[in-house]
Amino acid sequence: PGQAVTLRAVAADERGCLFQSCAHYRADGRGELHLGTDASHGGDYTGVEPMGLFWSLAPAGMEKPYQRLLPRGTGAPMKVEVLVHQGHSPPGTMPGPLVAKAEVQRLFTAPGVRRIRLKEGVVRGSLFLPPGDGPFPGVIDMYGDEGGLIEFRSSLLATRGFAALSLPYFDFEDLPRVMKELRLEYFEEAARFLQRHPKVKGPGVGVIGTGKGAELALSMITFLPEVVAAVSISGCSSNTVADLHYGEMTLPGLRFDMKKVSVSDSGVFDIFEALDDPTDPANSASVIPIEKAEGHFLLVVGEDDRMWKSSLYAELAIRRLRQHGKENFELLSYPGAGHRIDPPSTPFCQVALDRVLGVPVLGGGESKAHAHAQEHSWGKIQEFLHLHLG
């Protein structure tokens, strides 16, 4: 009873890079500790945080900094070793004698969820189907400018009863290696494939995207009648980086001005001011005309996003909709949250290595506020998709 202990979590990613976290606790009068009700007094977080050991996982001291712990595949669980040590040892120091340990497995796919690799016309990706006959609400899931196929949110959506299509749009199989220009016809074909799938409930489908994927979600619901609900996480209300073509129409991409990037003494890049100003009349051709959308928007932003001004971009989107007499939107705005708002307990990463630039880029946010934003928004996203997709 009353014993001071340090709890540690240790996990490794697919490449063997080690991540760890720790927190200081004191046992109760019976010598027990309950993370759901007992507060941490120090370490990587404080307060009552049942999943704190998970969302505070960060690269171990001997590893390269700024790496993300994200599941590359969804078939195998993420194994996390939880250890109890005597005494309070600060992060990064040798912990006291080991009292107990256990392995926890974090699953990203429920039993019975099917994963189908997709080569359908030009469309690539993975379709995740919940167990049962369905039909299920259909959702297209996209990430940002890191490219490739990122499946874990799709598999979690399927675990929650959605038919989820994880859709890459460059740097995967025979898709273009780099994001120079994009054709909306590719996304239209994906939406039509999902809408027509026998396991998908109609008449329309939803789309969820983060960063560049969020902005593509806004373009899809604007121009494609198949899409009736769009979740934009940390998106821009204008088209960015790559020109977007659809038939004869082109939305030019706003560019990043590298002269407006600042670099800290520790070599971290801050690109917050670097994107062309979407409110500049010279950039009006890049604005996504979201007022044309018949469907519904859910805009999710972290108020401390340092990648770009997602709070401002959400304001611009809402202003544009209201100017056209529309109220078909909901805004979730989180103080203290950074750029990449992922499903709950995804480890917080304030600075991450940018896959394209190869340098550490500031994403912003504070760990506890960001973790709470991830948990709250995940429930709200599911509610929104169920409401508008049935």
Side-chain angles (χ1 to χ4, degrees), residues 172-241:
F172 180 72
E173 291 184 351
D174 55 356
L175 296 176
R177 294 292 300 157
V178 292
M179 189 174 59
K180 277 210 176 101
E181 51 185 357
L182 295 166
R183 298 210 68 86
L184 199 62
E185 284 84 355
Y186 173 78
F187 303 91
E188 181 175 50
E189 196 169 319
R192 286 179 176 168
F193 163 79
L194 190 62
Q195 183 196 34
R196 292 170 184 160
H197 195 281
K199 291 269 190 185
V200 172
K201 191 188 282 190
V205 297
V207 59
I208 177 172
T210 298
K212 177 67 187 174
E215 165 202 313
L216 285 164
L218 297 183
S219 292
M220 287 170 74
I221 194 172
T222 297
F223 297 109
L224 308 180
E226 296 85 0
V227 178
V228 298
V231 180
S232 161
I233 302 172
S234 309
C236 185
S237 49
S238 292
N239 186 53
T240 67
V241 184

Side-chain angles (χ1 to χ4, degrees), residues 316-350:
L316 295 174
I318 287 169
R319 193 181 310 162
R320 189 174 181 98
L321 290 169
R322 284 198 165 134
Q323 279 168 352
H324 289 84
K326 297 210 158 186
E327 290 289 332
N328 55 340
F329 62 86
E330 195 181 334
L331 172 67
L332 298 175
S333 185
Y334 295 102
H339 179 70
R340 192 157 153 167
I341 299 173
D342 274 325
S345 307
T346 302
F348 171 69
C349 201
Q350 188 181 50

Side-chain angles (χ1 to χ4, degrees), residues 24-194:
H24 299 159
Y25 287 92
R26 202 166 277 285
D28 66 15
R30 291 179 301 190
E32 293 180 352
L33 185 54
H34 296 276
L35 296 193
T37 52
D38 293 340
S40 163
H41 305 292
D44 290 321
Y45 61 90
T46 56
V48 179
E49 295 292 337
M51 293 296 285
L53 287 171
F54 282 77
W55 55 248
S56 62
L57 282 164
M62 73 286 241
E63 301 289 357
K64 286 183 185 156
Y66 313 134
Q67 299 190 74
R68 284 185 180 282
L69 179 57
L70 286 174
R72 293 283 166 240
T74 57
M78 182 188 287
K79 293 178 179 175
V80 182
E81 194 167 39
V82 181
L83 308 110
V84 184
H85 297 269
Q86 288 179 26
H88 287 165
S89 42
T93 63
M94 275 295 287
L98 183 66
V99 180
K101 66 176 181 174
E103 186 182 86
V104 179
Q105 293 196 347
R106 182 149 202 222
L107 302 168
F108 293 89
T109 311
V113 168
R114 286 169 58 210
R115 172 181 178 267
I116 301 157
R117 282 301 296 277
L118 215 61
K119 271 197 168 177
E120 190 71 31
V122 296
V123 178
R124 301 291 175 263
S126 295
L127 177 63
F128 289 86
L129 295 173
D133 295 333
F136 309 103
V139 182
I140 292 171
D141 176 29
M142 298 178 296
Y143 270 93
D145 60 6
E146 64 268 58
L149 178 65
I150 301 174
E151 299 177 312
F152 77 104
R153 185 165 62 194
S154 300
S155 69
L156 289 170
L157 284 167
T159 294
R160 296 280 178 263
F162 296 92
L165 170 56
S166 182
L167 185 69
Y169 46 95
F170 74 103
D171 196 21
F172 180 72
E173 291 184 351
D174 55 356
L175 296 176
R177 294 292 300 157
V178 292
M179 189 174 59
K180 277 210 176 101
E181 51 185 357
L182 295 166
R183 298 210 68 86
L184 199 62
E185 284 84 355
Y186 173 78
F187 303 91
E188 181 175 50
E189 196 169 319
R192 286 179 176 168
F193 163 79
L194 190 62

Side-chain angles (χ1 to χ4, degrees), residues 221-305:
I221 194 172
T222 297
F223 297 109
L224 308 180
E226 296 85 0
V227 178
V228 298
V231 180
S232 161
I233 302 172
S234 309
C236 185
S237 49
S238 292
N239 186 53
T240 67
V241 184
D243 293 355
L244 180 68
H245 307 284
Y246 186 45
E248 300 296 303
M249 181 211 73
T250 297
L251 289 180
L254 297 180
R255 300 294 190 238
F256 280 94
D257 181 353
M258 296 313 281
K259 292 195 289 292
K260 292 182 179 172
V261 174
S262 61
V263 186
S264 73
D265 294 341
S266 58
V268 173
F269 283 58
D270 185 341
I271 63 173
F272 186 66
E273 297 288 348
L275 187 69
D276 290 345
D277 180 4
T279 64
D280 184 335
N283 296 325
S284 61
S286 298
V287 176
I288 303 165
I290 55 173
E291 69 280 358
K292 293 180 176 176
E294 294 298 322
H296 292 263
F297 298 89
L298 177 62
L299 307 170
V300 183
V301 296
E303 292 174 19
D304 194 29
D305 184 349

Side-chain angles (χ1 to χ4, degrees), residues 345-359:
S345 307
T346 302
F348 171 69
C349 201
Q350 188 181 50
V351 177
L353 275 177
D354 185 276
R355 202 193 65 85
V356 182
L357 301 174
V359 296

